[in-house]
Amino acid sequence: MNVFEVAMKMEDDGKAYYQKLAAQTAHEGLHKIFLQLAEDEQKHHDIFKRLKEKTPTSMQKSTALEQAKNVFETLIASRTNLTIAGDLDGYRHAMKLEANSFRFYEEAAAKEQDAKVKELLLQIAGEEQKHFNILQNVYDFVNAPNQFLAWAEFSNLGEFRNFGRDSTI
């Protein structure tokens, strides 16, 4: 398999994974984010297909980051608490896939002789980095309730306030 065939397979796998995540989430905003990421992966697949066929191609800038920003602004404004703990492993897996894609495309670009193909590989690597950032934000937002201790856990600290102040000593 050549680099374009490997890339098309990676993009197909990414698309299928994002569609799976979209189907698993009940939250409309996250559903949209995952579908946008799946759409981006399809666009990347199509670019690699045209490159393999030696058909001139270019790439449109993704709007996934802007759309994700809007979703997060809405979530924060509404103080929505997402309890999707079961999906955390899925989000971590998706982040790993994006990181691997980013590295793969950067390495392929470093080896590429054709300047136009090299530029496209670097653009796609940049989009994969943006996808990783979106997923990191989703993960952080969904996992936020697990990242702090409840004040009730410190309810026994009152016993230590007077430590050393005992008047009988």
Side-chain angles (χ1 to χ4, degrees):
M1 268 203 291
N2 69 22
V3 68
F4 302 132
E5 291 168 345
V6 172
M8 288 186 317
K9 172 78 170 112
M10 287 172 51
E11 297 300 330
D12 286 343
D13 291 347
K15 176 185 173 185
Y17 198 76
Y18 289 131
Q19 288 172 331
K20 177 183 170 188
L21 288 175
Q24 290 176 346
T25 186
H27 188 274
E28 182 182 343
L30 292 180
H31 183 80
K32 286 180 183 179
I33 289 172
F34 293 133
L35 289 181
Q36 178 63 51
L37 292 172
E39 184 179 312
D40 281 357
E41 299 300 327
Q42 181 62 51
K43 288 177 187 176
H44 297 166
H45 173 273
D46 295 344
I47 288 169
F48 290 121
K49 183 177 179 185
R50 289 191 297 272
L51 287 171
K52 181 182 175 195
E53 296 167 348
K54 300 188 186 313
T55 305
T57 189
S58 63
M59 190 168 93
Q60 295 178 0
K61 186 177 177 183
S62 171
T63 60
L65 191 59
E66 291 79 18
Q67 290 179 7
K69 181 180 174 190
N70 292 338
V71 169
F72 285 113
E73 287 172 351
T74 303
L75 288 171
I76 290 168
S78 68
R79 299 183 184 267
T80 301
N81 183 13
L82 296 176
T83 53
I84 314 174
D87 291 338
L88 292 177
D89 287 336
Y91 300 153
R92 279 193 294 268
H93 180 71
M95 288 168 27
K96 182 179 177 183
L97 292 175
E98 290 296 346
N100 289 342
S101 295
F102 171 78
R103 283 191 289 277
F104 175 80
Y105 296 136
E106 277 207 329
E107 290 170 10
K111 297 174 187 173
E112 182 58 51
Q113 300 299 317
D114 184 316
K116 285 223 176 248
V117 173
K118 183 179 205 141
E119 180 183 342
L120 280 170
L121 286 167
L122 291 174
Q123 285 177 339
I124 292 173
E127 286 208 354
E128 300 297 358
Q129 179 66 43
K130 288 177 187 176
H131 292 175
F132 177 89
N133 292 340
I134 290 168
L135 291 166
Q136 180 72 53
N137 286 324
V138 169
Y139 178 84
D140 290 345
F141 191 84
V142 171
N143 193 41
N146 300 324
Q147 297 300 311
F148 65 90
L149 296 173
W151 283 107
E153 293 180 31
F154 294 102
S155 63
N156 64 346
L157 289 180
E159 298 171 20
F160 296 103
R161 279 192 205 135
N162 293 324
F163 183 74
R165 295 186 191 168
D166 190 345
S167 58
T168 60
I169 298 181

